[in-house]
Amino acid sequence: MIRAPGRVNLIGEHIDYAGLPVLPMAIDRTLTLHVRPRTDGRVCITSDLPSLGEREFEIVRTIPPYPYGDWGNYAKAAMQGLIDAGLEPVGFDARVTSNLPSAAGLSSSSALVVGTALAALAGGCDTPDPLPLASLLAKAEHYAGARGGGMDQAAILAGRAGHALRIAFDPLQVRYVRIPSGWSFVVAHSLVTAEKGGAARDTYNARRTAVERALDELGASAAGYPKLVADGSAEELIARAAGILGPELLGRFRHVITEAARVERAEAAMRSDDAAAFGRLMCESHESLRTDFEVSTEALDALVETAMTAGALGARVTGAGLGGFIIALVPSREHAEFLERLESSFYHPRGTRVDGSVLFTVQAADGARVLA
Ligand code: GLA
């Protein structure tokens, strides 16, 4: 059996593909794969989940994709990535169960990529070294169409119970940050999904292209964002960019630069148990994603605002955006009241009965594992 958790990003949104550090955690919502190795090189995945179904394909040197947007491409992406890396994925049958909501910013797709990769490696007998596999799978997932960064696969593979992960890239490195007792993270669904296989994917890729173009226009492509951020203050960088970039690219650039600074400050706030400061940074992050990066929606904005009124210390859209979940930081002692208030002020007026797929508390959990 294989367990692959989802992840929630606490802060550092849309900057992993710029090579800048992010601060997510793996969560206690997982995809579980009940696996049986096969000897004929075929992969067969079944599931009772309404979002999935059954897919079967053969592991060959070049695996032809399913139509654009098909979930089976995440399993094919993992197999193709392993082959391209010179590994020998083994065929398997897998029955998938899950308590991780899909298409909502909690990385159910990457959990499937990671879970199927583990199933195909050594017939699922052992859990491989997480970081090299995370790097490989981050690139491999591009097969499914979104040119993601490396945050999701790293958080899913290297997660640790009770800890957030400060993930840096090129080379991939993880620093664990203990989450102070007394901090609770709640995720709440905006009631609009963001299908990464559809329009959300195109917007995602367009944002990544814009972030890369901004760097080009500033003549800094060779150095890259990490060097830019290390060499100048956010204010200096933005002031210089304002003279060169048009308004749209300037907004994208300003988000990346200010978000990178927020990640550093948020890590420090978490280490010093300053929940109020961490919460403020989350709100600033949301504002930047709303105005400069334009990946929020009216529903997400309303939910963030309602969460703040209900007593959150900070709240923001999490993941790629354009729908899905927000994450809120809430003092643990007020956490039950917070859930009640959010239920009555956001969900009831919209006629939604709250269940465990819409509003819940997330705990930082261990990364993906091959169990027995
Ligand atoms: C998706 C991608 C990640 C990251 C986030 C936004 O989850 O897969 O690599 O870019 O969006 O922060």
Side-chain angles (χ1 to χ4, degrees), residues 181-307:
S181 65
W183 293 29
S184 286
F185 287 105
V186 170
V187 294
H189 201 291
S190 64
L191 305 177
V192 181
T193 52
E195 296 289 346
K196 215 175 166 192
R201 180 207 37 226
D202 298 337
T203 306
Y204 181 89
N205 287 340
R207 291 296 180 278
R208 181 170 180 159
T209 302
V211 166
E212 290 163 356
R213 256 186 49 217
L215 203 61
D216 274 350
E217 291 193 14
L218 292 170
S221 311
Y225 278 98
K227 172 121 178 54
L228 213 59
V229 166
D231 289 352
S233 73
E235 292 74 21
E236 283 162 12
L237 289 169
I238 292 162
R240 183 158 74 83
I244 301 171
L245 303 177
E248 188 181 308
L249 280 196
L250 179 62
R252 311 297 189 239
F253 180 79
R254 188 163 47 218
H255 167 73
V256 170
I257 299 300
T258 56
E259 186 78 350
R262 283 187 287 273
V263 169
E264 302 310 317
R265 284 157 57 204
E267 183 189 352
M270 188 174 267
R271 289 191 187 280
S272 59
D273 195 1
D274 188 345
F278 196 97
R280 276 194 300 276
L281 291 161
M282 290 174 78
C283 289
E284 285 170 29
S285 170
H286 183 78
E287 195 49 23
S288 178
L289 288 159
R290 184 178 79 79
T291 56
D292 276 344
F293 217 69
E294 295 182 283
V295 289
S296 190
T297 63
E298 268 176 37
L300 285 163
D301 295 342
L303 185 50
V304 162
E305 214 179 295
T306 313

Side-chain angles (χ1 to χ4, degrees), residues 16-17 23 28 37 41 52 66 77 92 109 122 154 203 222 237 246 251 257 262 269 287 311 327 332-333 362 367:
D16 60 344
Y17 49 75
L23 194 72
D28 55 343
L52 301 185
Y66 290 117
F92 60 89
S109 331
T203 306
L237 289 169
I257 299 300
R262 283 187 287 273
E287 195 49 23
I327 178 162
S332 302
R333 57 176 190 284
V362 282

Side-chain angles (χ1 to χ4, degrees), residues 7 9 12-17 22 105 107 110 141 146-153 196 204 319-321:
R7 65 97 188 92
N9 192 14
E13 217 64 87
H14 282 280
I15 62 170
D16 60 344
Y17 49 75
V22 294
S107 266
S110 297
E141 201 179 310
R147 292 198 301 127
M151 164 169 70
D152 305 344
Q153 301 78 8
K196 215 175 166 192
Y204 181 89

Side-chain angles (χ1 to χ4, degrees), residues 148-191:
M151 164 169 70
D152 305 344
Q153 301 78 8
I156 289 168
L157 275 155
R160 182 182 287 179
H163 293 76
L165 289 72
R166 192 249 197 205
I167 303 173
F169 302 93
D170 310 313
L172 187 59
Q173 284 172 330
V174 171
R175 190 153 84 193
Y176 292 98
V177 189
R178 179 176 286 286
I179 299 172
S181 65
W183 293 29
S184 286
F185 287 105
V186 170
V187 294
H189 201 291
S190 64
L191 305 177

